[in-house]
Amino acid sequence: MAERRQMVDRVLGLLAGTAVGDGLGAPFEGSATVPSTALDLWIFSPRTLHHTDDTAMTLVLAEHLSRSGGIDQVVLASDFAAAWYQEPMRGYGGGAAQVLAAIADGADWRRAAVSVFEAGSWGNGAAMRAAPVAVVSTSVPEAAELGRRSAEVTHAHVHGRHGAALQAAAAYLALHSGPNRPLDAEAFLVDLTDVVPAGPWQEKLARVRALLGREASAEEAAASLGHDISALGSVPLAVYAFLRHAEFPEGAIRFAVRCGGDTDTIAAMTGALAGARHGYSGLPSSWTVRLESAALLHRIAEHLTHDRSTGGSTGPHRPEQ
Ligand code: RVK
Ligand code: MG
Ligand code: MG
């Protein structure tokens, strides 16, 4: 029972971390740099943290997983399209909105996903929502594979899919990391390197390792890893922000926003990892009380964890890191 409560806390942390990162980062999306003073004004404000497409799609995927225990791509595509149809004003990417509109109109997702960009989207929209697949996975490779499957219904491009695989694998490692001892960043990066092919993805992870070695600043990390709307230009930075402050979730999320660029998405991905490691109880309550969708997050986390702990064969195992 205590173990189940702990897992609910971590699953809720994964979802709430996404939402606080999204809400804290959203006002700065597109700013090349984010001065500390401007960020502090927003961090200490009592105003509601509204969420954007990042959290909206994460919640759709989490609900889908809690209903089906896995991914049914036809149903998932239509779940995403229905959420977009109900709330198109959540700040979706331009191509993503067109893909979702086509699916809502009845198009097959396989055709819709290549209808805007010929090879599909390399945007970070699949990575930003991928973390919940970690909850139903039993290994790092399975999380990566589910990340890819969740991605391809809208993001057919190989970089869009690798980004989702990397974020899903990182979320799995964070969710199952031993909370009572320091995170082994080197082992974390070795595991991540295994889920992406040699080439630009592995090169970015090598840069993450080097940047960690010299405790690089937000500005230096963004310049080296990218901080844009592409999967390849944002997921490695989100991983870096998490690892840079692996024992301090508040610091990791703040660092991610300070990186500038696609701030809502980078901070949402970092927040998912920090929340998965430290749980909801590890996130600042001054942030979580401001969440627009707190009740919904709690309900989905309960369902998702309940279905894991009573579902038998697919209950997660917990490798200690
Ligand atoms: C607005 C050429 C491509 C491309 C390709 C470019 C929200 C397009 C969230 C496209 C996230 C943009 C973000 C985003 C998530 C992608 N050729 N250009 N093959 N693939 N692009 O539309 O869900 O903020 O300019 O698929 O991945 O907060 O519009 O959306 O920051 O990348 O959007 O790709 O975006 P989309 P997404
Ligand atoms: Mg967004
Ligand atoms: Mg964004």
Side-chain angles (χ1 to χ4, degrees):
M1 198 59 188
E3 200 184 339
R4 180 172 183 274
R5 283 319 318 162
Q6 259 177 24
M7 193 38 84
V8 172
D9 185 55
R10 292 180 85 162
V11 172
L12 181 55
L14 179 153
L15 298 177
T18 302
V20 290
D22 186 5
L24 288 174
F28 304 100
E29 192 177 22
S31 311
T33 56
V34 178
S36 262
T37 43
L39 180 54
D40 280 345
L41 280 176
W42 179 225
I43 275 183
F44 296 116
S45 149
R47 286 174 54 194
T48 301
L49 289 175
H50 292 286
H51 67 248
T52 75
D53 55 335
D54 305 60
T55 305
M57 297 192 99
T58 299
L59 295 182
V60 170
L61 178 55
E63 276 191 305
H64 177 87
L65 294 166
S66 81
R67 273 200 313 274
S68 64
I71 290 175
D72 177 327
Q73 289 178 306
V74 173
V75 178
L76 180 61
S78 114
D79 289 346
F80 283 140
W84 166 80
Y85 190 80
Q86 277 167 26
E87 296 187 319
M89 78 302 283
R90 290 281 182 188
Y92 285 83
Q98 290 181 63
V99 168
L100 294 168
I103 295 168
D105 260 356
D108 186 304
W109 65 264
R110 287 175 197 281
R111 207 161 317 136
V114 291
S115 63
V116 180
F117 305 114
E118 205 181 326
S121 171
W122 41 241
N124 54 18
M128 74 189 183
R129 69 189 185 217
V133 303
V135 183
V136 303
S137 300
T138 57
S139 67
V140 177
E142 187 187 0
E145 174 56 21
L146 284 178
R148 285 195 177 86
R149 281 175 55 74
S150 71
E152 65 191 347
V153 301
T154 52
H155 287 64
H157 196 284
V158 67
H159 285 329
R161 288 183 278 129
H162 286 327
L166 194 66
Q167 172 67 4
Y172 180 88
L173 290 165
L175 193 63
H176 299 298
S177 61
N180 300 322
R181 67 180 87 148
L183 190 89
D184 182 343
E186 179 56 31
F188 196 96
L189 287 171
V190 167
D191 282 340
L192 287 190
T193 303
D194 284 346
V195 305
V196 286
W201 284 94
Q202 290 195 2
E203 282 159 23
K204 284 277 175 96
L205 291 175
R207 279 192 218 177
V208 168
R209 183 178 288 114
L211 290 162
L212 281 171
R214 56 177 184 275
E215 300 187 346
S217 67
E219 291 76 11
E220 189 190 347
S224 171
L225 298 171
H227 62 172
D228 59 39
I229 207 166
S230 69
L232 185 58
S234 58
V235 184
L237 182 61
V239 170
Y240 176 72
F242 164 64
L243 293 176
R244 179 79 168 72
H245 294 287
E247 308 313 328
F248 182 30
E250 185 177 344
I253 293 168
R254 198 191 149 85
F255 185 96
V257 180
R258 289 266 294 105
C259 287
D262 193 2
T263 46
D264 65 330
T265 303
I266 293 162
M269 293 190 288
T270 298
L273 305 182
R277 172 158 172 73
H278 297 281
Y280 185 77
S281 52
L283 296 170
S285 56
S286 57
W287 293 356
T288 51
V289 294
R290 292 169 60 193
L291 286 174
E292 168 195 4
S293 50
L296 180 61
L297 295 171
H298 278 82
R299 203 162 56 242
I300 294 176
E302 282 285 348
H303 284 166
L304 194 52
T305 315
H306 177 74
D307 294 348
R308 295 304 87 217
S309 53
T310 56
S313 62
T314 50
H317 82 143
R318 297 174 174 76
E320 280 290 301
Q321 259 229 72

PDB file of all heavy atoms in Angstrom, residues 18-31 34 39 42 48-55 90-91 253 257 261-268:
ATOM      1  N   THR A  18       5.035  18.149 -15.754  1.00  0.00           N
ATOM      2  CA  THR A  18       4.778  18.585 -17.133  1.00  0.00           C
ATOM      3  C   THR A  18       3.976  19.886 -17.119  1.00  0.00           C
ATOM      4  O   THR A  18       4.309  20.864 -17.803  1.00  0.00           O
ATOM      5  CB  THR A  18       3.957  17.502 -17.883  1.00  0.00           C
ATOM      6  OG1 THR A  18       4.668  16.265 -17.860  1.00  0.00           O
ATOM      7  CG2 THR A  18       3.673  17.913 -19.311  1.00  0.00           C
ATOM      8  N   ALA A  19       2.903  19.896 -16.323  1.00  0.00           N
ATOM      9  CA  ALA A  19       1.991  21.050 -16.325  1.00  0.00           C
ATOM     10  C   ALA A  19       2.644  22.310 -15.743  1.00  0.00           C
ATOM     11  O   ALA A  19       2.435  23.409 -16.262  1.00  0.00           O
ATOM     12  CB  ALA A  19       0.712  20.700 -15.562  1.00  0.00           C
ATOM     13  N   VAL A  20       3.444  22.166 -14.677  1.00  0.00           N
ATOM     14  CA  VAL A  20       4.074  23.380 -14.126  1.00  0.00           C
ATOM     15  C   VAL A  20       5.156  23.900 -15.079  1.00  0.00           C
ATOM     16  O   VAL A  20       5.292  25.114 -15.270  1.00  0.00           O
ATOM     17  CB  VAL A  20       4.656  23.229 -12.692  1.00  0.00           C
ATOM     18  CG1 VAL A  20       3.589  23.081 -11.656  1.00  0.00           C
ATOM     19  CG2 VAL A  20       5.671  22.147 -12.578  1.00  0.00           C
ATOM     20  N   GLY A  21       5.915  22.973 -15.683  1.00  0.00           N
ATOM     21  CA  GLY A  21       6.928  23.408 -16.655  1.00  0.00           C
ATOM     22  C   GLY A  21       6.271  24.143 -17.820  1.00  0.00           C
ATOM     23  O   GLY A  21       6.723  25.210 -18.248  1.00  0.00           O
ATOM     24  N   ASP A  22       5.185  23.564 -18.309  1.00  0.00           N
ATOM     25  CA  ASP A  22       4.433  24.160 -19.422  1.00  0.00           C
ATOM     26  C   ASP A  22       3.912  25.549 -19.024  1.00  0.00           C
ATOM     27  O   ASP A  22       4.125  26.550 -19.728  1.00  0.00           O
ATOM     28  CB  ASP A  22       3.273  23.189 -19.743  1.00  0.00           C
ATOM     29  CG  ASP A  22       2.454  23.566 -20.956  1.00  0.00           C
ATOM     30  OD1 ASP A  22       2.802  24.539 -21.642  1.00  0.00           O
ATOM     31  OD2 ASP A  22       1.448  22.859 -21.220  1.00  0.00           O
ATOM     32  N   GLY A  23       3.261  25.620 -17.869  1.00  0.00           N
ATOM     33  CA  GLY A  23       2.644  26.881 -17.440  1.00  0.00           C
ATOM     34  C   GLY A  23       3.662  27.955 -17.088  1.00  0.00           C
ATOM     35  O   GLY A  23       3.453  29.144 -17.360  1.00  0.00           O
ATOM     36  N   LEU A  24       4.784  27.537 -16.475  1.00  0.00           N
ATOM     37  CA  LEU A  24       5.809  28.537 -16.129  1.00  0.00           C
ATOM     38  C   LEU A  24       6.575  28.987 -17.368  1.00  0.00           C
ATOM     39  O   LEU A  24       7.006  30.142 -17.474  1.00  0.00           O
ATOM     40  CB  LEU A  24       6.788  27.969 -15.088  1.00  0.00           C
ATOM     41  CG  LEU A  24       6.238  27.795 -13.674  1.00  0.00           C
ATOM     42  CD1 LEU A  24       7.247  27.081 -12.774  1.00  0.00           C
ATOM     43  CD2 LEU A  24       5.864  29.149 -13.059  1.00  0.00           C
ATOM     44  N   GLY A  25       6.733  28.050 -18.328  1.00  0.00           N
ATOM     45  CA  GLY A  25       7.506  28.395 -19.526  1.00  0.00           C
ATOM     46  C   GLY A  25       6.710  29.152 -20.575  1.00  0.00           C
ATOM     47  O   GLY A  25       7.272  29.922 -21.360  1.00  0.00           O
ATOM     48  N   ALA A  26       5.386  28.936 -20.598  1.00  0.00           N
ATOM     49  CA  ALA A  26       4.567  29.450 -21.711  1.00  0.00           C
ATOM     50  C   ALA A  26       4.715  30.956 -21.987  1.00  0.00           C
ATOM     51  O   ALA A  26       4.825  31.351 -23.146  1.00  0.00           O
ATOM     52  CB  ALA A  26       3.100  29.086 -21.487  1.00  0.00           C
ATOM     53  N   PRO A  27       4.748  31.826 -20.955  1.00  0.00           N
ATOM     54  CA  PRO A  27       4.830  33.263 -21.280  1.00  0.00           C
ATOM     55  C   PRO A  27       6.136  33.647 -21.986  1.00  0.00           C
ATOM     56  O   PRO A  27       6.217  34.716 -22.576  1.00  0.00           O
ATOM     57  CB  PRO A  27       4.753  33.947 -19.905  1.00  0.00           C
ATOM     58  CG  PRO A  27       4.198  32.931 -18.981  1.00  0.00           C
ATOM     59  CD  PRO A  27       4.610  31.594 -19.519  1.00  0.00           C
ATOM     60  N   PHE A  28       7.157  32.766 -21.891  1.00  0.00           N
ATOM     61  CA  PHE A  28       8.474  33.120 -22.440  1.00  0.00           C
ATOM     62  C   PHE A  28       8.763  32.398 -23.756  1.00  0.00           C
ATOM     63  O   PHE A  28       9.856  32.515 -24.297  1.00  0.00           O
ATOM     64  CB  PHE A  28       9.579  32.780 -21.419  1.00  0.00           C
ATOM     65  CG  PHE A  28       9.368  33.444 -20.084  1.00  0.00           C
ATOM     66  CD1 PHE A  28       8.816  32.750 -19.022  1.00  0.00           C
ATOM     67  CD2 PHE A  28       9.681  34.785 -19.913  1.00  0.00           C
ATOM     68  CE1 PHE A  28       8.605  33.361 -17.796  1.00  0.00           C
ATOM     69  CE2 PHE A  28       9.468  35.419 -18.684  1.00  0.00           C
ATOM     70  CZ  PHE A  28       8.926  34.708 -17.628  1.00  0.00           C
ATOM     71  N   GLU A  29       7.778  31.628 -24.262  1.00  0.00           N
ATOM     72  CA  GLU A  29       8.019  30.835 -25.480  1.00  0.00           C
ATOM     73  C   GLU A  29       8.474  31.767 -26.606  1.00  0.00           C
ATOM     74  O   GLU A  29       7.831  32.780 -26.883  1.00  0.00           O
ATOM     75  CB  GLU A  29       6.735  30.082 -25.891  1.00  0.00           C
ATOM     76  CG  GLU A  29       6.981  29.031 -26.960  1.00  0.00           C
ATOM     77  CD  GLU A  29       5.730  28.219 -27.320  1.00  0.00           C
ATOM     78  OE1 GLU A  29       4.606  28.708 -27.067  1.00  0.00           O
ATOM     79  OE2 GLU A  29       5.887  27.106 -27.856  1.00  0.00           O
ATOM     80  N   GLY A  30       9.601  31.418 -27.207  1.00  0.00           N
ATOM     81  CA  GLY A  30      10.108  32.214 -28.329  1.00  0.00           C
ATOM     82  C   GLY A  30      11.107  33.287 -27.924  1.00  0.00           C
ATOM     83  O   GLY A  30      11.745  33.893 -28.790  1.00  0.00           O
ATOM     84  N   SER A  31      11.282  33.536 -26.602  1.00  0.00           N
ATOM     85  CA  SER A  31      12.290  34.528 -26.185  1.00  0.00           C
ATOM     86  C   SER A  31      13.668  33.874 -26.236  1.00  0.00           C
ATOM     87  O   SER A  31      13.852  32.798 -25.678  1.00  0.00           O
ATOM     88  CB  SER A  31      12.058  34.982 -24.735  1.00  0.00           C
ATOM     89  OG  SER A  31      10.724  35.338 -24.543  1.00  0.00           O
ATOM     90  N   VAL A  34      15.893  34.327 -21.165  1.00  0.00           N
ATOM     91  CA  VAL A  34      14.893  34.617 -20.129  1.00  0.00           C
ATOM     92  C   VAL A  34      15.636  35.129 -18.895  1.00  0.00           C
ATOM     93  O   VAL A  34      16.240  34.347 -18.154  1.00  0.00           O
ATOM     94  CB  VAL A  34      14.074  33.358 -19.764  1.00  0.00           C
ATOM     95  CG1 VAL A  34      13.068  33.664 -18.659  1.00  0.00           C
ATOM     96  CG2 VAL A  34      13.359  32.804 -21.001  1.00  0.00           C
ATOM     97  N   LEU A  39      11.691  36.012 -14.843  1.00  0.00           N
ATOM     98  CA  LEU A  39      11.185  34.686 -14.453  1.00  0.00           C
ATOM     99  C   LEU A  39      10.699  34.714 -12.996  1.00  0.00           C
ATOM    100  O   LEU A  39       9.648  34.152 -12.673  1.00  0.00           O
ATOM    101  CB  LEU A  39      12.290  33.645 -14.650  1.00  0.00           C
ATOM    102  CG  LEU A  39      11.919  32.204 -14.296  1.00  0.00           C
ATOM    103  CD1 LEU A  39      10.664  31.749 -15.033  1.00  0.00           C
ATOM    104  CD2 LEU A  39      13.081  31.261 -14.621  1.00  0.00           C
ATOM    105  N   TRP A  42       7.209  35.989 -12.449  1.00  0.00           N
ATOM    106  CA  TRP A  42       6.174  35.022 -12.840  1.00  0.00           C
ATOM    107  C   TRP A  42       6.141  33.845 -11.859  1.00  0.00           C
ATOM    108  O   TRP A  42       5.077  33.369 -11.458  1.00  0.00           O
ATOM    109  CB  TRP A  42       6.447  34.581 -14.279  1.00  0.00           C
ATOM    110  CG  TRP A  42       5.499  33.569 -14.854  1.00  0.00           C
ATOM    111  CD1 TRP A  42       5.847  32.468 -15.572  1.00  0.00           C
ATOM    112  CD2 TRP A  42       4.065  33.554 -14.805  1.00  0.00           C
ATOM    113  NE1 TRP A  42       4.737  31.766 -15.961  1.00  0.00           N
ATOM    114  CE2 TRP A  42       3.618  32.417 -15.497  1.00  0.00           C
ATOM    115  CE3 TRP A  42       3.103  34.384 -14.238  1.00  0.00           C
ATOM    116  CZ2 TRP A  42       2.263  32.080 -15.638  1.00  0.00           C
ATOM    117  CZ3 TRP A  42       1.750  34.049 -14.369  1.00  0.00           C
ATOM    118  CH2 TRP A  42       1.358  32.919 -15.054  1.00  0.00           C
ATOM    119  N   THR A  48      -3.001  31.894 -11.990  1.00  0.00           N
ATOM    120  CA  THR A  48      -3.225  30.515 -12.466  1.00  0.00           C
ATOM    121  C   THR A  48      -2.207  30.142 -13.531  1.00  0.00           C
ATOM    122  O   THR A  48      -1.890  30.941 -14.409  1.00  0.00           O
ATOM    123  CB  THR A  48      -4.648  30.417 -13.063  1.00  0.00           C
ATOM    124  OG1 THR A  48      -5.569  30.770 -12.054  1.00  0.00           O
ATOM    125  CG2 THR A  48      -4.948  29.015 -13.569  1.00  0.00           C
ATOM    126  N   LEU A  49      -1.712  28.896 -13.431  1.00  0.00           N
ATOM    127  CA  LEU A  49      -0.830  28.371 -14.474  1.00  0.00           C
ATOM    128  C   LEU A  49      -1.695  27.635 -15.489  1.00  0.00           C
ATOM    129  O   LEU A  49      -2.083  26.477 -15.273  1.00  0.00           O
ATOM    130  CB  LEU A  49       0.210  27.422 -13.875  1.00  0.00           C
ATOM    131  CG  LEU A  49       1.314  28.055 -13.027  1.00  0.00           C
ATOM    132  CD1 LEU A  49       2.204  26.989 -12.407  1.00  0.00           C
ATOM    133  CD2 LEU A  49       2.159  29.020 -13.881  1.00  0.00           C
ATOM    134  N   HIS A  50      -2.007  28.310 -16.581  1.00  0.00           N
ATOM    135  CA  HIS A  50      -2.771  27.661 -17.653  1.00  0.00           C
ATOM    136  C   HIS A  50      -1.826  26.785 -18.458  1.00  0.00           C
ATOM    137  O   HIS A  50      -0.647  27.084 -18.561  1.00  0.00           O
ATOM    138  CB  HIS A  50      -3.408  28.716 -18.559  1.00  0.00           C
ATOM    139  CG  HIS A  50      -4.487  29.488 -17.859  1.00  0.00           C
ATOM    140  ND1 HIS A  50      -5.719  28.944 -17.583  1.00  0.00           N
ATOM    141  CD2 HIS A  50      -4.496  30.739 -17.353  1.00  0.00           C
ATOM    142  CE1 HIS A  50      -6.455  29.845 -16.935  1.00  0.00           C
ATOM    143  NE2 HIS A  50      -5.735  30.934 -16.778  1.00  0.00           N
ATOM    144  N   HIS A  51      -2.373  25.720 -19.026  1.00  0.00           N
ATOM    145  CA  HIS A  51      -1.480  24.872 -19.803  1.00  0.00           C
ATOM    146  C   HIS A  51      -1.726  25.004 -21.303  1.00  0.00           C
ATOM    147  O   HIS A  51      -2.751  25.529 -21.735  1.00  0.00           O
ATOM    148  CB  HIS A  51      -1.533  23.417 -19.334  1.00  0.00           C
ATOM    149  CG  HIS A  51      -2.835  22.723 -19.576  1.00  0.00           C
ATOM    150  ND1 HIS A  51      -3.675  22.346 -18.562  1.00  0.00           N
ATOM    151  CD2 HIS A  51      -3.416  22.311 -20.716  1.00  0.00           C
ATOM    152  CE1 HIS A  51      -4.730  21.733 -19.068  1.00  0.00           C
ATOM    153  NE2 HIS A  51      -4.603  21.700 -20.377  1.00  0.00           N
ATOM    154  N   THR A  52      -0.756  24.523 -22.065  1.00  0.00           N
ATOM    155  CA  THR A  52      -0.857  24.586 -23.526  1.00  0.00           C
ATOM    156  C   THR A  52      -0.967  23.159 -24.079  1.00  0.00           C
ATOM    157  O   THR A  52      -1.236  22.202 -23.335  1.00  0.00           O
ATOM    158  CB  THR A  52       0.346  25.345 -24.136  1.00  0.00           C
ATOM    159  OG1 THR A  52       1.502  24.490 -24.082  1.00  0.00           O
ATOM    160  CG2 THR A  52       0.648  26.656 -23.401  1.00  0.00           C
ATOM    161  N   ASP A  53      -0.737  23.039 -25.374  1.00  0.00           N
ATOM    162  CA  ASP A  53      -0.828  21.733 -26.053  1.00  0.00           C
ATOM    163  C   ASP A  53       0.045  20.652 -25.400  1.00  0.00           C
ATOM    164  O   ASP A  53      -0.314  19.470 -25.402  1.00  0.00           O
ATOM    165  CB  ASP A  53      -0.457  21.876 -27.534  1.00  0.00           C
ATOM    166  CG  ASP A  53       0.912  22.509 -27.757  1.00  0.00           C
ATOM    167  OD1 ASP A  53       1.399  23.257 -26.880  1.00  0.00           O
ATOM    168  OD2 ASP A  53       1.508  22.269 -28.825  1.00  0.00           O
ATOM    169  N   ASP A  54       1.172  21.067 -24.806  1.00  0.00           N
ATOM    170  CA  ASP A  54       2.098  20.083 -24.217  1.00  0.00           C
ATOM    171  C   ASP A  54       1.374  19.243 -23.156  1.00  0.00           C
ATOM    172  O   ASP A  54       1.418  18.002 -23.174  1.00  0.00           O
ATOM    173  CB  ASP A  54       3.286  20.803 -23.562  1.00  0.00           C
ATOM    174  CG  ASP A  54       3.989  21.737 -24.531  1.00  0.00           C
ATOM    175  OD1 ASP A  54       3.339  22.675 -25.040  1.00  0.00           O
ATOM    176  OD2 ASP A  54       5.169  21.535 -24.798  1.00  0.00           O
ATOM    177  N   THR A  55       0.738  19.924 -22.219  1.00  0.00           N
ATOM    178  CA  THR A  55       0.027  19.212 -21.148  1.00  0.00           C
ATOM    179  C   THR A  55      -1.265  18.593 -21.675  1.00  0.00           C
ATOM    180  O   THR A  55      -1.615  17.460 -21.298  1.00  0.00           O
ATOM    181  CB  THR A  55      -0.297  20.182 -19.996  1.00  0.00           C
ATOM    182  OG1 THR A  55       0.919  20.807 -19.577  1.00  0.00           O
ATOM    183  CG2 THR A  55      -0.936  19.462 -18.826  1.00  0.00           C
ATOM    184  N   ARG A  90      -5.191  25.894 -27.581  1.00  0.00           N
ATOM    185  CA  ARG A  90      -4.125  25.566 -26.616  1.00  0.00           C
ATOM    186  C   ARG A  90      -2.711  25.810 -27.158  1.00  0.00           C
ATOM    187  O   ARG A  90      -1.734  25.430 -26.521  1.00  0.00           O
ATOM    188  CB  ARG A  90      -4.248  24.110 -26.166  1.00  0.00           C
ATOM    189  CG  ARG A  90      -5.458  23.844 -25.267  1.00  0.00           C
ATOM    190  CD  ARG A  90      -5.220  24.288 -23.830  1.00  0.00           C
ATOM    191  NE  ARG A  90      -6.364  23.988 -22.984  1.00  0.00           N
ATOM    192  CZ  ARG A  90      -6.493  24.409 -21.729  1.00  0.00           C
ATOM    193  NH1 ARG A  90      -5.553  25.126 -21.175  1.00  0.00           N
ATOM    194  NH2 ARG A  90      -7.560  24.124 -21.032  1.00  0.00           N
ATOM    195  N   GLY A  91      -2.593  26.398 -28.342  1.00  0.00           N
ATOM    196  CA  GLY A  91      -1.257  26.743 -28.845  1.00  0.00           C
ATOM    197  C   GLY A  91      -0.554  25.603 -29.563  1.00  0.00           C
ATOM    198  O   GLY A  91       0.662  25.421 -29.435  1.00  0.00           O
ATOM    199  N   ILE A 253      13.488  22.833 -13.283  1.00  0.00           N
ATOM    200  CA  ILE A 253      12.425  23.453 -14.087  1.00  0.00           C
ATOM    201  C   ILE A 253      12.759  24.922 -14.353  1.00  0.00           C
ATOM    202  O   ILE A 253      12.626  25.432 -15.471  1.00  0.00           O
ATOM    203  CB  ILE A 253      11.054  23.279 -13.392  1.00  0.00           C
ATOM    204  CG1 ILE A 253      10.674  21.789 -13.374  1.00  0.00           C
ATOM    205  CG2 ILE A 253       9.980  24.112 -14.076  1.00  0.00           C
ATOM    206  CD1 ILE A 253       9.499  21.433 -12.474  1.00  0.00           C
ATOM    207  N   VAL A 257      13.455  26.783 -18.102  1.00  0.00           N
ATOM    208  CA  VAL A 257      12.831  28.005 -18.638  1.00  0.00           C
ATOM    209  C   VAL A 257      13.921  29.030 -18.984  1.00  0.00           C
ATOM    210  O   VAL A 257      13.858  29.710 -20.017  1.00  0.00           O
ATOM    211  CB  VAL A 257      11.822  28.623 -17.641  1.00  0.00           C
ATOM    212  CG1 VAL A 257      11.190  29.893 -18.230  1.00  0.00           C
ATOM    213  CG2 VAL A 257      10.723  27.623 -17.278  1.00  0.00           C
ATOM    214  N   GLY A 261      13.996  30.091 -25.831  1.00  0.00           N
ATOM    215  CA  GLY A 261      13.526  29.343 -27.005  1.00  0.00           C
ATOM    216  C   GLY A 261      12.149  28.744 -26.774  1.00  0.00           C
ATOM    217  O   GLY A 261      11.223  29.442 -26.349  1.00  0.00           O
ATOM    218  N   ASP A 262      12.042  27.448 -27.002  1.00  0.00           N
ATOM    219  CA  ASP A 262      10.738  26.772 -26.855  1.00  0.00           C
ATOM    220  C   ASP A 262      10.513  26.436 -25.374  1.00  0.00           C
ATOM    221  O   ASP A 262      10.457  25.271 -24.969  1.00  0.00           O
ATOM    222  CB  ASP A 262      10.709  25.515 -27.730  1.00  0.00           C
ATOM    223  CG  ASP A 262       9.298  24.958 -27.856  1.00  0.00           C
ATOM    224  OD1 ASP A 262       8.355  25.563 -27.301  1.00  0.00           O
ATOM    225  OD2 ASP A 262       9.151  23.913 -28.506  1.00  0.00           O
ATOM    226  N   THR A 263      10.393  27.482 -24.574  1.00  0.00           N
ATOM    227  CA  THR A 263      10.426  27.347 -23.114  1.00  0.00           C
ATOM    228  C   THR A 263       9.327  26.473 -22.512  1.00  0.00           C
ATOM    229  O   THR A 263       9.581  25.728 -21.567  1.00  0.00           O
ATOM    230  CB  THR A 263      10.343  28.740 -22.455  1.00  0.00           C
ATOM    231  OG1 THR A 263       9.300  29.451 -23.120  1.00  0.00           O
ATOM    232  CG2 THR A 263      11.638  29.506 -22.587  1.00  0.00           C
ATOM    233  N   ASP A 264       8.104  26.586 -23.030  1.00  0.00           N
ATOM    234  CA  ASP A 264       7.032  25.782 -22.421  1.00  0.00           C
ATOM    235  C   ASP A 264       7.312  24.299 -22.614  1.00  0.00           C
ATOM    236  O   ASP A 264       7.144  23.489 -21.700  1.00  0.00           O
ATOM    237  CB  ASP A 264       5.639  26.168 -22.956  1.00  0.00           C
ATOM    238  CG  ASP A 264       5.453  25.867 -24.423  1.00  0.00           C
ATOM    239  OD1 ASP A 264       6.444  25.911 -25.175  1.00  0.00           O
ATOM    240  OD2 ASP A 264       4.304  25.587 -24.829  1.00  0.00           O
ATOM    241  N   THR A 265       7.793  23.959 -23.790  1.00  0.00           N
ATOM    242  CA  THR A 265       8.000  22.552 -24.124  1.00  0.00           C
ATOM    243  C   THR A 265       9.244  21.985 -23.442  1.00  0.00           C
ATOM    244  O   THR A 265       9.221  20.861 -22.920  1.00  0.00           O
ATOM    245  CB  THR A 265       8.082  22.418 -25.658  1.00  0.00           C
ATOM    246  OG1 THR A 265       6.877  22.965 -26.185  1.00  0.00           O
ATOM    247  CG2 THR A 265       8.242  20.979 -26.081  1.00  0.00           C
ATOM    248  N   ILE A 266      10.320  22.754 -23.442  1.00  0.00           N
ATOM    249  CA  ILE A 266      11.547  22.271 -22.794  1.00  0.00           C
ATOM    250  C   ILE A 266      11.302  22.112 -21.289  1.00  0.00           C
ATOM    251  O   ILE A 266      11.648  21.085 -20.688  1.00  0.00           O
ATOM    252  CB  ILE A 266      12.733  23.210 -23.108  1.00  0.00           C
ATOM    253  CG1 ILE A 266      13.054  23.123 -24.610  1.00  0.00           C
ATOM    254  CG2 ILE A 266      13.972  22.853 -22.273  1.00  0.00           C
ATOM    255  CD1 ILE A 266      13.873  24.278 -25.145  1.00  0.00           C
ATOM    256  N   ALA A 267      10.640  23.105 -20.684  1.00  0.00           N
ATOM    257  CA  ALA A 267      10.362  23.010 -19.242  1.00  0.00           C
ATOM    258  C   ALA A 267       9.322  21.929 -18.944  1.00  0.00           C
ATOM    259  O   ALA A 267       9.380  21.281 -17.888  1.00  0.00           O
ATOM    260  CB  ALA A 267       9.907  24.364 -18.706  1.00  0.00           C
ATOM    261  N   ALA A 268       8.385  21.699 -19.849  1.00  0.00           N
ATOM    262  CA  ALA A 268       7.400  20.619 -19.643  1.00  0.00           C
ATOM    263  C   ALA A 268       8.115  19.262 -19.625  1.00  0.00           C
ATOM    264  O   ALA A 268       7.829  18.397 -18.785  1.00  0.00           O
ATOM    265  CB  ALA A 268       6.328  20.648 -20.725  1.00  0.00           C
TER     266      ALA A 268
END
